[in-house]
Structure formats: C-alpha cells, structure tokens
Amino acid sequence: MSSHNSSILAKCIFVFVALLGIFFQIAAAAPFSELEKRDVYAPPVLYPHAGTVWYKGQTHNVTWDVSSPPVNITNKIGRIMLRKNNLATPLILANGFDILRGRIEVTVPWVIEGNDYSVNLFGDSGDWSQQFTIKE
C-alpha cells in the first residue's frame, strides 16, 4: 500500500472515530427525564374472582381497581389474556383499550371446561385474577 493510500485511510479512520465520539456525547446528553418519571401500574383484577362461573359464548365485564393509578403510567394500553392452570394461553380476550377504564367486556371463548382459569390484565405490567370456572 502506498503512503498516499495509508494517509487517506488514516484520515478516514480519524473522521469515523471523531463522528462516533460526537454521537456518543449527544446520546449521553439526551434527556431521559420523561422515562425516569414513569411508574409501573398493575391494578388488581376484581372480577372474575373465586367462585365465578362463566359459560362459553357469554359476555362478561372483566373489572379491575383503578382508584389509585400513578401519575405517569409506562403503558396505558391494555390487553386481557386467558390463563389456565396458572399458565398463559394464546387467547386474547380484549386488546387495545385504556387501562384506566376499569372494565372491559369480553366474550367467553370455546375452551375445555375447567375450574382453573384466570385472566391476565396487561398494561405495563401483568396482574391476574383469582381462579374461576368455565363451563359449556
């Protein structure tokens, strides 16, 4: 390699390192105060609860306590999923609602009967109901 090519390569490396340094300085100075102020919110599920019986095809209101939400919630978009025997299932009962609503209507899916179902309420965290029964 000629000395001229080596000189060009050295200048390119210098510019690259300088730009990389500037990038990291800007990234380090970025304001993250909004992210630091946010709180995880896991409101307790009130219904369904132990002793509840749902029948396939019916509609029910899943409800949760929204009496004391934090000011800055990380994720206000809710999702409710069905659990069986304390394991997540792929069944989404509701999606895309405001977590501060406190309730959402769902339709009971066609699943195997059992007394070990629960619903999982997601926003920026997950909280699940007590176990309840689904029958035909």
Side-chain angles (χ1 to χ4, degrees), residues 40-106:
V40 173
Y41 183 44
V45 177
L46 304 174
Y47 181 84
H49 49 71
T52 299
V53 178
W54 284 1
Y55 291 89
K56 297 174 188 179
Q58 287 182 330
T59 57
H60 289 273
N61 282 310
V62 174
T63 60
W64 56 95
D65 182 4
V66 292
S67 62
S68 59
V71 176
N72 297 302
I73 299 172
T74 306
N75 179 18
K76 293 183 181 180
I77 307 301
R79 171 183 285 178
I80 295 179
M81 298 186 72
L82 189 65
R83 294 169 50 97
K84 176 153 178 58
N85 194 26
N86 293 321
L87 299 172
T89 72
L91 298 173
I92 298 172
L93 303 180
N95 195 26
F97 56 87
D98 184 348
I99 198 76
L100 295 176
R101 283 178 61 178
R103 71 174 192 83
I104 191 80
E105 187 176 89
V106 300

